[in-house]
Amino acid sequence: MITLNKAQTKFLRKYSHNLKPLFQMGKLGLTDVFIEQVDNAIEKRELIKFVILQNSDEDLDDVANKIADEIGGVIIQTIGSTAILYRPSTKEKYQEISQQVNRLS
């Protein structure tokens, strides 16, 4: 389980501000494939955004919590129809953001 202090969360929110959403969830809702794609992307990027489209019946908070539980990540923020998730990469070559986060602890 990842725990972040206020400074770390604030840094990640600020860092994610200019990120574009990588995934969009539509009428198919939350599928295993969607979770797998998020898991693969977050391994390389550590911080991702995704959007739930208007034609989806899913609730953003429920989806974000389920994905975070499945991939072992943490929700940085949910706002509107957008969620931001963070998980440190297990591969050292992708650990750019997590190294900055660790300095804030």
Side-chain angles (χ1 to χ4, degrees):
M1 183 73 188
I2 302 168
T3 54
L4 300 172
N5 62 32
K6 283 186 181 185
Q8 291 169 323
T9 304
K10 186 177 178 181
F11 168 80
L12 289 168
R13 263 200 311 261
K14 184 178 175 184
Y15 194 96
S16 70
H17 184 72
N18 293 324
L19 292 179
K20 297 211 182 315
L22 278 182
F23 301 104
Q24 296 178 336
M25 181 181 299
K27 60 186 174 186
L28 293 177
L30 185 59
T31 62
D32 291 338
V33 173
F34 188 85
I35 294 171
E36 186 179 319
Q37 289 175 336
V38 169
D39 190 35
N40 291 336
I42 207 166
E43 177 63 31
K44 291 182 181 162
R45 298 173 185 250
E46 296 188 312
L47 189 66
I48 63 159
K49 275 186 184 178
F50 72 89
V51 174
I52 294 184
L53 300 175
Q54 288 180 336
N55 65 351
S56 177
D57 295 331
E58 301 284 349
D59 177 63
L60 180 63
D61 291 327
D62 292 342
V63 168
N65 282 318
K66 179 144 172 67
I67 293 174
D69 289 344
E70 290 279 332
I71 67 170
V74 63
I75 301 166
I76 299 304
Q77 186 175 30
T78 58
I79 186 163
S81 60
T82 305
I84 304 164
L85 300 176
Y86 168 74
R87 183 185 78 196
S89 179
T90 57
K91 296 185 173 123
E92 194 171 323
K93 67 180 181 178
Y94 300 127
Q95 292 179 348
E96 179 185 330
I97 298 171
S98 57
Q99 288 175 358
Q100 294 176 51
V101 168
N102 291 337
R103 286 186 211 122
L104 297 172
S105 58

